[in-house]
Amino acid sequence: MHEFVQIVSTTARRDEAERIARGLVEARLAACVQVSGPVRSVYRWKEAVEEGDEWVVALKTRRDLFEPVEEAIRGLHPYEVPEILVLPILAGSPAYLEWLDEQLVPPSRS
């Protein structure tokens, strides 16, 4: 069985989050992406405390696809430094994990 992860990012606008979600699923880099929000974020940016509403993008993929997923997010994301966090999926329904795997780019045979 492959190692699966959830990757989380945030954007300032819903349409940006949906563009990222659709792009990743269409490229078969993510099997499923949830877009939720808005959520209120408070953060430090360039020596100032900022706050604003953001949309959360949470996607399921394989660990070996992280690098192309990160590259795709950076290419679609408007932030100078986008949040891109990887969380391990420790366990899951076997049927769901099988479905997840079937939706993704086949693993390379190197």
Side-chain angles (χ1 to χ4, degrees):
M1 178 75 57
H2 295 108
E3 182 180 355
F4 296 102
V5 294
Q6 180 171 331
I7 299 176
V8 179
S9 188
T10 55
T11 65
R13 297 190 350 235
R14 180 178 178 170
D15 64 317
E16 295 166 349
E18 290 174 349
R19 184 177 69 247
I20 291 167
R22 181 164 293 282
L24 292 168
V25 171
E26 287 176 350
R28 298 181 69 96
L29 294 173
C32 176
V33 182
Q34 282 87 33
V35 173
S36 59
V39 297
R40 192 70 173 165
S41 294
V42 179
Y43 55 94
R44 181 174 297 281
W45 180 248
K46 298 189 178 183
E47 300 306 317
V49 175
E50 305 282 347
E51 60 182 87
D53 290 340
E54 291 188 298
W55 293 82
V56 178
V57 177
L59 64 106
K60 270 64 82 191
T61 192
R62 287 192 320 267
R63 170 64 186 95
D64 65 290
L65 292 175
F66 172 69
E67 287 76 16
V69 168
E70 179 185 25
E71 183 178 328
I73 291 173
R74 289 186 186 283
L76 294 165
H77 209 294
Y79 288 2
E80 183 179 335
V81 181
E83 172 184 1
I84 304 173
L85 300 176
V86 180
L87 309 169
I89 296 175
L90 302 177
S93 158
Y96 179 80
L97 295 178
E98 182 178 332
W99 170 85
L100 193 160
D101 198 38
E102 291 170 354
Q103 308 315 306
L104 300 169
V105 171
S108 62
R109 305 267 182 217
S110 45

